[in-house]
Amino acid sequence: GTRGSFNGTTYKGPYQISGGFKANATDSTLMALFKQFKQLQANGLTAAEYSFAKSAIIQSEALKYESQAQKLGFIKRLLDYKLNPQYTREQVQLLNRLSQSELNQIAQNQLNLQNMFIIVVADKNTTFEKVKALGLPTQEIDVFGNPKP
């Protein structure tokens, strides 16, 4: 399946989408993702999508601190970022105040394909030319992230 998340620290972090895609469908999967981004940027979330996402995020919060490692991570976050121990409640309150139109405005401003880095890890022989045919700038890199000629 496909999943997405924001990742960050005290510095800005990326929004990341990942998934286990079939090699022979990498190009069509990218096209479907691009279509979704463009649709979201142009039209925003529907009321049903907004309600579902908001509810899912709020309900998932309780599951984040079940194991000892998760609890330790919570305490570490409190210390690292000097957070109020009630910060998760504050986050839920913030989410409850975030309107559908505000979220749509963020999507419109931030989901710009021209500003995205798209990293595909796949078999070059079966995938590279298909991805290149999508018309995006492509750069093959080695295992250390250095550009290949």
Side-chain angles (χ1 to χ4, degrees), residues 105-122:
Q105 186 65 45
I106 292 168
Q108 188 176 35
N109 293 335
Q110 300 297 321
L111 290 179
N112 184 343
L113 288 173
Q114 302 306 315
N115 295 336
M116 293 184 186
F117 290 94
I118 300 156
I119 301 170
V120 176
V121 179

Side-chain angles (χ1 to χ4, degrees), residues 4-148:
S5 64
F6 289 97
N7 299 298
T9 61
T10 54
Y11 305 102
K12 289 183 178 181
Y15 176 74
Q16 177 178 322
I17 294 178
S18 62
F21 312 120
K22 291 185 178 186
N24 63 351
T26 300
D27 55 337
S28 59
T29 300
L30 287 173
M31 292 293 289
L33 288 170
F34 298 162
K35 181 180 177 184
Q36 288 291 320
F37 275 143
K38 288 176 184 176
Q39 181 179 341
L40 186 58
Q41 190 178 34
N43 305 321
L45 291 170
T46 66
E49 290 168 332
Y50 169 74
S51 177
F52 175 81
K54 189 172 169 178
S55 174
I57 291 169
I58 291 171
Q59 290 176 12
S60 72
E61 190 63 33
L63 301 175
K64 289 183 179 178
Y65 311 109
E66 291 184 336
S67 74
Q68 289 180 345
Q70 290 169 316
K71 290 174 185 173
L72 181 60
F74 176 78
I75 293 169
K76 183 178 182 328
R77 220 172 1 269
L78 290 176
L79 296 172
D80 287 348
Y81 302 112
K82 298 174 180 65
L83 296 170
N84 176 328
Q86 305 300 318
Y87 89 94
T88 56
R89 288 187 185 139
E90 293 168 4
Q91 284 182 319
V92 169
Q93 291 171 352
L94 177 68
L95 185 59
N96 281 323
R97 288 192 308 267
L98 183 64
S99 72
Q100 182 179 346
S101 62
E102 289 172 312
L103 194 56
N104 286 340
Q105 186 65 45
I106 292 168
Q108 188 176 35
N109 293 335
Q110 300 297 321
L111 290 179
N112 184 343
L113 288 173
Q114 302 306 315
N115 295 336
M116 293 184 186
F117 290 94
I118 300 156
I119 301 170
V120 176
V121 179
D123 177 13
K124 178 184 174 185
N125 294 329
T126 60
T127 309
F128 191 71
E129 290 304 319
K130 289 181 181 180
V131 171
K132 199 172 182 179
L134 296 175
L136 299 170
T138 55
Q139 174 64 60
E140 184 181 1
I141 59 175
D142 65 20
V143 295
F144 301 106
N146 301 312
K148 283 186 160 183

